[in-house]
Amino acid sequence: MLHRRSVLAGLTASLAAPAVRAQESYPTRAVTLVVPFPPGGSTDVIARVIADAMRLQLKVPVVVENRGGAGGTLGTGVVARANPDGYTIGMGTASTLAINPAAYKTLPYDVLGDLAPIGAIAEVPNVMEINPAMPVTDMASFIVYAKAGPGRITYGSSGLGSVSHLMGEQFKRATGTDLVHVPYRGIGPALGDAVAGQILVMFDNLPTSLPLVQAGKLRALAVSSKKRLAALPDVPTFTELGIDDLSWTAFFGLIAPIRTPSAIITTLNDALNNALADPVVREKLAEQQATVTPGTVEAFGALMSREIARMKRACEVAKISIE
């Protein structure tokens, strides 16, 4: 009997050993980083900086795969349904991890139930901007102009339930103005029409809009950061203007399928935080007006929970509910 137990114990150990070794040696092949938006936007740019830096940390390729659509829910769903082995991870944003679960009546996944936090990457401010042909020069004159013609001013967004949509609705409520929402399939087409004057107002992450503002193609009226930005020193913050409801930044972080082993999550978190400590990475992100926010797995998970609750309150007030 003793011999039989020894054999069984040895067999069990031998079967378990490959799994243990595979986990301990992770990663042994390329890791796919799913970006739930098309190329060119803030999320994509930041993802590519992080992918390149984590490649050096993990010693394997980190391949960016853009899976845009449905306000980021398509790509996020790909991550939620992926094999939880650490080889498919995703970019999470304020839109996909907080606004979507607050705004959509149903999602094909549960953010807190199907996705595991890896770690926060950075946060970026948002900006309110207008077509420069509008006969206004600052926020005060814009509000007067908007109230004089309810419903005549259009604002664009990257889609229903996006950061730009929620900011627009919050702005309307905070200022008592009546702007007409025009949703687009992505921020690029919306910005293009704002420059062309097809729509008049945009609320956007600063990185994608900054070149247009600096070139004079759009005029910035306010930024959502706590203090004025070096890149736009003459543009006041929403707080300065007394519009505190819009004083929030967009966050970015990494996520994985929920059942990904904790040891793999720890490896990815370490690689991410080491990447964010690199001065070259910090400089590249600073060029995108992003402030790095390294931290623990637990801290990012707490941020996700906090932001979902906050955005649910905001969506209820703004009466945003998407089928």
Side-chain angles (χ1 to χ4, degrees):
M1 182 63 73
L2 180 61
H3 174 70
R4 183 182 177 187
R5 282 200 297 267
S6 299
V7 170
L8 288 173
L11 178 60
T12 301
S14 66
L15 290 173
V20 172
R21 283 197 297 270
Q23 187 167 311
E24 288 175 348
S25 62
Y26 169 87
T28 59
R29 55 186 172 86
V31 173
T32 296
L33 174 55
V34 176
V35 175
F37 297 103
S42 302
T43 307
D44 180 64
V45 172
I46 291 173
R48 292 178 188 278
V49 172
I50 293 302
D52 191 50
M54 287 184 69
R55 170 183 61 82
L56 301 177
Q57 298 293 326
L58 296 172
K59 305 293 193 296
V60 296
V62 179
V63 181
V64 172
E65 181 179 314
N66 295 91
R67 297 291 292 270
T73 62
L74 178 61
T76 305
V78 168
V79 178
R81 294 186 299 272
N83 189 5
D85 56 7
Y87 290 100
T88 299
I89 60 176
M91 281 289 289
T93 70
S95 180
T96 61
L97 300 183
I99 297 178
N100 284 354
Y104 281 80
K105 286 188 175 181
T106 59
L107 286 175
Y109 53 84
D110 177 359
V111 167
L112 299 179
D114 295 332
L115 296 168
I118 293 173
I121 296 172
E123 60 182 21
V124 302
N126 301 305
V127 60
M128 177 183 174
E129 59 213 352
I130 61 173
N131 183 284
M134 287 190 70
V136 299
T137 56
D138 55 19
M139 185 65 77
S141 58
F142 175 85
I143 292 174
V144 169
Y145 182 76
K147 287 184 175 181
R152 71 178 174 184
I153 297 177
T154 52
Y155 82 90
S157 80
S158 58
L160 294 173
S162 62
V163 170
S164 43
H165 179 200
L166 185 55
M167 286 195 71
E169 295 306 304
Q170 286 185 300
F171 178 83
K172 288 164 58 176
R173 176 179 174 273
T175 59
T177 52
D178 180 17
L179 312 183
V180 178
H181 177 221
V182 181
Y184 286 78
R185 298 186 66 176
I187 202 67
L191 287 172
D193 273 4
V195 170
Q198 299 301 313
I199 54 173
L200 298 175
V201 183
M202 281 293 302
F203 300 86
D204 185 26
N205 293 158
L206 183 60
T208 46
S209 286
L210 183 59
L212 296 173
V213 172
Q214 291 174 327
K217 295 181 178 180
L218 291 174
R219 177 182 297 149
L221 296 186
V223 291
S224 70
S225 50
K226 295 181 178 63
K227 58 183 180 180
R228 294 199 183 196
L229 302 171
L232 297 173
D234 297 328
V235 179
T237 67
F238 282 110
T239 299
E240 284 181 71
L241 298 171
I243 312 174
D244 289 327
D245 285 356
L246 276 78
S247 296
W248 51 279
T249 54
F251 69 85
F252 301 86
L254 293 184
I255 51 175
I258 191 66
R259 293 178 303 280
T260 304
S262 59
I264 290 178
I265 294 288
T266 298
T267 296
L268 289 166
N269 178 265
D270 289 344
L272 173 60
N273 286 333
N274 288 338
L276 293 175
D278 185 335
V280 174
V281 172
R282 286 175 172 263
E283 183 178 351
K284 287 180 179 179
L285 292 178
E287 290 172 359
Q288 299 300 316
Q289 307 303 311
T291 302
V292 299
T293 55
T296 64
V297 174
E298 293 76 17
F300 188 46
L303 172 66
M304 289 166 57
S305 297
R306 239 182 2 258
E307 288 298 295
I308 288 174
R310 187 164 73 90
M311 291 304 168
K312 279 184 178 178
R313 291 192 296 271
C315 285
E316 287 170 2
V317 170
K319 295 181 173 56
I320 294 177
S321 181
I322 304 171
E323 295 291 342

